[in-house]
Amino acid sequence: MKGVPCIKNLIEKHKLLPVLLAALLTAAVLAALVKLTGTIGPRLNCVTVAEQKGVYDLTGIGDLEGTIALLTPGTAYYPNTYLEPKNADTAVPESIHRYKELRADYLSQKFILRLPDNSDVYMLTFSLSGRHAMRVYVNGRLAGQAGRPGTTKEETEVWENNITCYGAAVNGKMEIILNSAQFYHAKRGASLAQLSLSKSGAVPDMFFYDRMKGILTVGVFLSAAAMLTALYLLLSPVRANLYFAMASVIMALRELLRSKAWIYFPIPGNLSFMLEYMSMVLLTIFLSLYLGQYAIGRFLQGVRYTAIIGSCVYGVCLLFGDSIFYTSVLKYYQLLLMLCIVPGIIRLFWNMRRPTKEQSVAIYGIGVFYIAAVYDILLYSGFLGDGLKLPISENAMVVFALTQAFSLFLMNSRVLGEAKETERKLAAEKEALEDLNRMKTEFLGNISHELKTPLTVMSGYAQTIRQLAQGPGKLDNEKVAHRMKLISSEAERLSLMVGQILDVTRMEEGRMSMELKPCYVDEIIHGAVETHYPMLNKNANRLEIQIERGLPAVNADSARISQVIVNLISNAVRFTANGLITISAKREDAHILICVTDTGSGINREQLPYIFERYYHRQKSGGGQDTGTGLGLYICRNIVEQHGGSIWLESEEGRGTSVFFTLPVL
């Protein structure tokens, strides 16, 4: 049990390692499954029969009812010759041992079978390596043809790598002639075929499973392409979705061409040969574009663009060059891909040593596909021998497509989630901006009214004084002094409101500076009350000052702290009539606590959380006066916080309000 934590720690430290091991194991399993006879088709009893003295003797097989006889190529063949029943006995054969020495773009094979002397009909299937044009004669009659065999490339149309026809023995003997042609590949010409024989109706079509598998695989790729295209168009315009959708379409085309299913569609054989190579080019381009989301850094970007440019060049060779030319340079293109794939994937995996969940799924699929691609390139290049070539890329493509589609699904879910969260934040910000705009509109209306009120009062009293001065008789000094006092009070109120507007502008622009120096709170409070007494002495309120003796100095801007106190007293005066307003100061630990308390109308609970916000507009005061600009408490909070203190408010509707703020002692 002690080893379990060590394994967990290793996996946690190297998250990429188990993903790559799983990809390697998957590729190995795919290779093993493809090689196992019977796992990709119906399970049949197979018997291999070799030629003896020019004849394949099948009479010794006890039961041909449920058996497939595999007839290997004979000892002789006819290079660059089309055997026909009329010249079958006069043509001169070559030994099969010279097959590799003598390149033949077309050739013939002869199979002479000895069978039980009865009227049974047999199914004959010829399998070759690569696409061919084929023609079969059985007992002197044409039994089947695939494509169009000819003696030149222009006359020849290749088709599939197999052909099935039917025939019966005559007097216990069956003579078969196979013509095959392949002009399209630079490395090899026509191949030698293997013949599979079984009693007609005894076994199903040998390639039915391959065709159905091909159609189902094409359906998987097209479904993935449709889903990703819909995601791109309707939900998440992420280019990776579009690139992999196109890659899925190309994989569907490639699977259609590589499987036996393509013969059900009206695609000429020569065109299918070229499209098979072109699909590799297009697949490389779109997969390189798709993997661009993981290509971080100059090296990976360079590898990516090298693969794309090299594929485009080879694509031009396919479109405008002869098949002999583009098959001859295929090895250089494959080498380029190897030079891009191996270091590129190694660097990609190194960059994603600690992948996320969606990256782990993507890496697993990438690993399976590219391990299979390297395996197939080595297989077709001859590095793994000259035996039967059974590629695994087609099967790996299915794993790759499914994993990448799932990875993109996870990515799109994340992107959509982030988009929804961003949309929610934008909606909240929009609502906040709309509220702010509404509050600013209300503020402009309120401030216009607030500024107009003292101006109206000042204008009215000034006109009254003028009338008194112009009237007959002696000027009443007491009346003049009273009106001048009211004018001064309203001017002070007007100055306070204009100052608040200017202060908010400075704060929003970051220009509100503080000149901090040692000062005493008691001096600031008394100075503020004496200076602004005309404005504060309203609504028949009593003002009390309660300051603890011996308070230490504070490091503050005395003018700004005085502004805070005046704002708080002004608010208390507006909301209190025939009441008591108390200003107190005392020391609490390392701070001095200042409090302005009134016995006014108070504030309801719903308004308390927003009371220190700018442009906040409260209801009318108890005395019927307006609340001012709505900026006072917002300015107070900003000033106090810039001094390193805090400010808060306690209130109960109908029982008054207390506003507290602290300043750190020096």
Side-chain angles (χ1 to χ4, degrees), residues 342-358:
V342 175
I345 293 301
I346 292 174
R347 184 60 179 268
L348 177 65
F349 289 168
W350 176 258
N351 289 350
M352 300 171 67
R353 299 185 297 277
R354 295 175 178 269
T356 62
K357 182 184 293 186
E358 65 190 59

Side-chain angles (χ1 to χ4, degrees), residues 241-540:
N241 291 333
L242 182 61
Y243 292 147
F244 195 75
M246 297 303 298
S248 297
V249 173
I250 302 303
M251 283 189 281
L253 174 63
R254 184 171 178 79
E255 177 62 23
L256 183 66
L257 296 171
R258 296 295 295 267
S259 71
K260 317 298 180 185
W262 78 274
I263 62 174
Y264 296 136
F265 300 89
I267 304 175
N270 298 348
L271 177 61
S272 72
F273 184 85
M274 188 272 287
L275 287 178
E276 188 172 332
Y277 286 84
M278 182 60 76
S279 66
M280 178 174 59
V281 171
L282 295 176
L283 186 59
T284 301
I285 292 174
F286 283 112
L287 288 181
S288 298
L289 293 172
Y290 163 70
L291 293 175
Q293 61 181 316
Y294 304 117
I296 300 173
R298 292 184 178 179
F299 178 78
L300 285 178
Q301 288 290 351
V303 169
R304 176 169 167 252
Y305 286 119
T306 300
I308 293 174
I309 293 172
S311 297
C312 290
V313 172
Y314 189 66
V316 172
C317 295
L318 288 171
L319 291 174
F320 300 103
D322 183 80
S323 63
I324 299 297
F325 172 70
Y326 64 69
T327 54
S328 65
V329 300
L330 175 63
K331 58 184 177 182
Y332 302 108
Y333 178 56
Q334 290 175 334
L335 178 61
L336 175 67
L337 292 185
M338 288 286 290
L339 293 176
C340 291
I341 289 172
V342 175
I345 293 301
I346 292 174
R347 184 60 179 268
L348 177 65
F349 289 168
W350 176 258
N351 289 350
M352 300 171 67
R353 299 185 297 277
R354 295 175 178 269
T356 62
K357 182 184 293 186
E358 65 190 59
Q359 290 175 340
S360 297
V361 175
I363 289 174
Y364 168 72
I366 293 170
V368 172
F369 178 75
Y370 280 105
I371 290 172
V374 171
Y375 173 85
D376 285 356
I377 290 174
L378 294 176
L379 184 71
Y380 282 105
S381 299
F383 287 99
L384 302 181
D386 295 328
L388 184 62
K389 302 185 188 306
L390 299 173
I392 63 172
S393 292
E394 289 77 10
N395 300 284
M397 279 184 183
V398 179
V399 177
F400 177 71
L402 293 176
T403 54
Q404 299 313 301
F406 184 59
S407 174
L408 288 171
F409 173 78
L410 294 176
M411 183 192 70
N412 283 293
S413 298
R414 174 179 55 80
V415 171
L416 288 174
E418 292 173 353
K420 288 182 179 179
E421 180 63 20
T422 303
E423 184 179 353
R424 185 191 65 78
K425 290 181 179 179
L426 289 175
E429 291 177 1
K430 178 183 177 183
E431 184 178 355
L433 289 173
E434 289 176 347
D435 290 342
L436 182 62
N437 185 57
R438 176 181 51 79
M439 287 189 293
K440 280 189 173 183
T441 302
E442 293 179 357
F443 167 75
L444 291 174
N446 293 335
I447 199 64
S448 299
H449 178 72
E450 290 295 324
L451 293 174
K452 184 179 179 180
T453 300
L455 289 173
T456 302
V457 173
M458 292 166 62
S459 176
Y461 283 123
Q463 292 177 13
T464 302
I465 293 173
R466 186 183 66 181
Q467 291 174 358
L468 289 174
Q470 293 176 350
K474 188 178 179 180
L475 188 65
D476 190 339
N477 293 331
E478 184 177 349
K479 289 183 179 181
V480 171
H482 175 69
R483 284 165 174 74
M484 291 299 296
K485 180 180 177 181
L486 293 176
I487 290 174
S488 176
S489 175
E490 292 301 319
E492 186 70 23
R493 179 184 171 195
L494 182 63
S495 175
L496 178 63
M497 287 189 290
V498 173
Q500 287 178 344
I501 297 172
L502 294 175
D503 284 340
V504 170
T505 302
R506 293 189 190 100
M507 284 188 291
E508 290 182 345
E509 294 177 354
R511 296 188 296 105
M512 190 172 186
S513 60
M514 301 289 172
E515 297 181 4
L516 304 180
K517 59 184 179 180
C519 54
Y520 293 91
V521 170
D522 55 346
E523 295 178 359
I524 295 174
I525 293 175
H526 284 103
V529 172
E530 290 175 2
T531 303
H532 300 279
Y533 182 78
M535 182 183 67
L536 304 178
N537 185 26
K538 291 183 179 182
N539 295 340

Side-chain angles (χ1 to χ4, degrees), residues 179-191:
N179 301 150
S180 56
Q182 161 63 280
F183 286 87
Y184 289 86
H185 205 288
K187 186 176 180 181
R188 60 180 182 270
S191 301

Side-chain angles (χ1 to χ4, degrees), residues 104-122:
D105 292 322
Y106 60 99
L107 56 82
S108 298
Q109 291 175 261
K110 183 188 290 188
F111 298 85
I112 300 176
L113 283 58
R114 194 178 303 280
L115 295 163
D117 189 7
N118 53 39
S119 59
D120 290 340
V121 177
Y122 296 93

Side-chain angles (χ1 to χ4, degrees), residues 621-646:
S621 68
Q625 297 178 5
D626 289 330
T627 63
T629 63
L631 300 172
L633 290 178
Y634 172 72
I635 296 171
C636 291
R637 184 185 68 178
N638 187 279
I639 293 174
V640 171
E641 289 178 351
Q642 286 198 49
H643 280 79
S646 57

